[in-house]
Amino acid sequence: MVTTTPKKVTETKTAAKETLLTPRFYTTDFKEMSQLDISSNLEEVEAIVEEFRIDYNRDHFIRDKEFTASWDTFDEETRQIFIEFLERSCTAEFSGFLLYKEISRNLKKQNPLLAEGFSFMSRDEARHAGFLNKAMSDFNVSLDLGFLTKTRKYTFFAPKFIFYATYLSEKIGYWRYITIYRHLEKNPNYRVYPIFRFFESWCQDENRHGDFFAAIMKSQTSLLNTFESKLWSKFFLLSVFVTMYLNDLQRSDFYSTIGLDSKQFDLHVIRKTNQSAGTLFPVILDCEHPQFIPLLDKCAEANQQLIDLEKESQSFFSKLPAYVLMATSLLKLYFLPTIETKYIWTEKV
Ligand SMILES: [Fe+2]
Ligand SMILES: [Fe+2]
């Protein structure tokens, strides 16, 4: 007798509506990047590429028995919360994969060492994205990554901006994953889905990626030792922190499902990432400034107003006060005093 198990219908998603806060896809000036002279910090770059080559996580991303449990027990709201978390994470990882792969392909001839480093990083990001997409199938959905590649709009960033932005996104990724991992290690009753068990080794990939960008940046001293570099450091720190804060406050239900307070979680990740950046950037933010959190909250308030008005399809004019509140809060944040880090490689030789 042949028995057939009823097949679950897997819905293929083509990614959520794009907004300013959704994970973005980037492209850059490959020619300019291929001409980078990294000779002043060659040893460090080589050492990190060697670490990539060892491939510590080759056998890490293997799904085990725990994933075969049925997640139909999740109520519909929790299911949606998880799908959204997995989808956003998968999109962000996949965006890294595409960018690193393209850079690697374009640098192969002129800059083989950097090309190799980028190729190893794209390998890691492909694993991360694939693992997340497989996890989505536990909830009977999957992301159409081919469709995403073709239809997403790509944002152009000059190489130096790619370095500031990706260094920070890798480091913030590290702090996010490790914070969730450590929290669930202490509170296993909140570990409602097995993917979190993989975060400890996973985040080491992100940490190494961040170190790779740091090593490249150290070879380009003008990115770290000029007045302009201080302005850009501040700008990117703030952009990355505000984007995460606004995103996560919108998703506090996800964090409470795993026993975290989204605001406290974000503030911890912001402080830690800011500290990490202090070992590279010439300036970092003063997160303990009494105005820092209130101004972040003002941005979140303006964001909430904009979301509500958007739902009501209100005109630009009625949104204006919220835009003004957002812009003034961001400007105030930007002009708060910073902390000088004064690391030696930021000095001119
Ligand atoms: Fe990743
Ligand atoms: Fe990464």
Side-chain angles (χ1 to χ4, degrees):
M1 198 177 99
V2 180
T3 54
T4 53
T5 41
K7 231 183 171 179
K8 280 185 180 167
V9 180
T10 300
E11 174 200 343
T12 306
K13 291 194 67 146
T14 49
K17 191 176 156 238
E18 199 172 337
T19 70
L20 263 181
L21 296 176
T22 41
R24 309 187 80 72
F25 283 55
Y26 297 99
T27 186
T28 189
D29 182 339
F30 299 115
K31 192 161 177 249
E32 188 188 325
M33 203 175 266
S34 69
Q35 285 158 357
L36 273 185
D37 177 9
I38 52 161
S39 53
S40 64
N41 198 30
L42 191 63
E43 267 178 34
E44 195 182 350
V45 175
E46 275 174 343
I48 297 168
V49 172
E50 186 48 41
E51 287 233 332
F52 287 160
R53 198 172 289 124
I54 296 168
D55 197 2
Y56 299 101
N57 283 337
R58 187 190 330 213
D59 303 318
H60 180 65
F61 295 96
I62 295 167
R63 284 160 60 89
D64 55 19
K65 267 193 246 148
E66 215 184 316
F67 282 94
T68 56
S70 170
W71 305 106
D72 297 347
T73 48
F74 276 26
D75 62 56
E76 187 49 30
E77 206 186 327
T78 313
R79 184 176 167 272
Q80 288 306 329
I81 286 172
F82 262 82
I83 291 173
E84 201 212 16
F85 163 74
L86 294 169
E87 180 183 344
R88 290 180 66 87
S89 308
C90 182
T91 309
E93 298 281 8
F94 189 66
S95 152
F97 157 72
L98 284 180
L99 175 68
Y100 299 161
K101 191 172 146 245
E102 272 309 288
I103 295 177
S104 169
R105 206 168 57 82
N106 283 279
L107 264 56
K108 220 166 214 159
K109 279 195 191 123
Q110 282 105 324
N111 216 326
L113 179 66
L114 279 192
E116 201 184 1
F118 277 103
S119 158
F120 285 135
M121 291 198 297
S122 75
R123 168 202 69 193
D124 296 342
E125 306 300 17
R127 274 181 198 152
H128 303 166
F131 199 65
L132 284 157
N133 210 9
K134 202 88 196 126
M136 286 179 76
S137 69
D138 292 333
F139 298 89
N140 306 329
V141 284
S142 76
L143 207 51
D144 186 343
L145 297 174
F147 180 83
L148 206 59
T149 313
K150 282 187 222 121
T151 53
R152 269 295 173 118
K153 276 192 233 102
Y154 287 79
T155 307
F156 178 86
F157 261 19
K160 68 172 185 174
F161 299 138
I162 288 278
F163 294 143
Y164 288 112
T166 46
Y167 164 75
L168 282 175
S169 62
E170 295 290 358
K171 288 290 173 185
I172 209 168
Y174 165 75
W175 283 111
R176 287 172 64 80
Y177 285 139
I178 197 67
T179 304
I180 293 176
Y181 179 83
R182 288 191 183 139
H183 158 72
L184 294 177
E185 198 180 29
K186 275 192 221 125
N187 304 280
N189 51 319
Y190 282 111
R191 220 199 64 211
V192 290
Y193 185 63
I195 203 160
F196 303 114
R197 263 197 297 117
F198 290 74
F199 278 14
E200 191 184 25
S201 301
W202 186 327
C203 76
Q204 296 308 331
D205 281 343
E206 314 302 8
N207 204 22
R208 278 187 287 272
H209 298 171
D211 291 343
F212 181 69
F213 285 114
I216 298 175
M217 287 182 87
K218 286 184 210 167
S219 74
Q220 312 297 305
T221 45
S222 67
L223 295 182
L224 301 168
N225 69 358
T226 58
F227 177 69
E228 199 193 329
S229 70
K230 288 186 181 178
L231 302 181
W232 285 121
S233 298
K234 199 157 62 152
F235 172 82
F236 279 99
L237 282 164
L238 206 54
S239 316
V240 169
F241 294 162
V242 172
T243 307
M244 177 181 74
Y245 196 71
L246 300 190
N247 264 320
D248 284 349
L249 286 195
Q250 290 298 312
R251 290 163 183 83
S252 51
D253 286 352
F254 168 75
Y255 292 94
S256 54
T257 306
I258 57 168
L260 279 169
D261 176 278
S262 60
K263 182 171 169 158
Q264 293 315 316
F265 168 74
D266 271 34
L267 292 175
H268 173 79
V269 170
I270 287 173
R271 287 191 183 102
K272 288 297 189 182
T273 310
N274 196 47
Q275 262 173 28
S276 295
T279 62
L280 180 72
F281 286 3
V283 290
I284 52 171
L285 306 185
D286 180 3
C287 302
E288 307 311 321
H289 189 283
Q291 280 303 304
F292 184 72
I293 299 173
L295 283 169
L296 279 181
D297 286 332
K298 286 267 178 235
C299 293
E301 190 188 317
N303 188 45
Q304 187 58 54
Q305 285 172 13
L306 287 170
I307 291 168
D308 294 343
L309 291 166
E310 181 71 27
K311 275 186 202 148
E312 296 162 18
S313 309
Q314 292 287 343
S315 65
F316 174 79
F317 190 69
S318 56
K319 290 180 195 162
L320 202 57
Y323 282 125
V324 172
L325 177 63
M326 178 72 88
T328 51
S329 310
L330 286 172
L331 276 174
K332 284 181 190 165
L333 272 170
Y334 190 79
F335 288 109
L336 284 183
T338 48
I339 299 169
E340 303 260 338
T341 57
K342 296 194 184 81
Y343 275 84
I344 30 172
W345 59 79
T346 69
E347 285 166 12
K348 278 185 177 145
V349 274

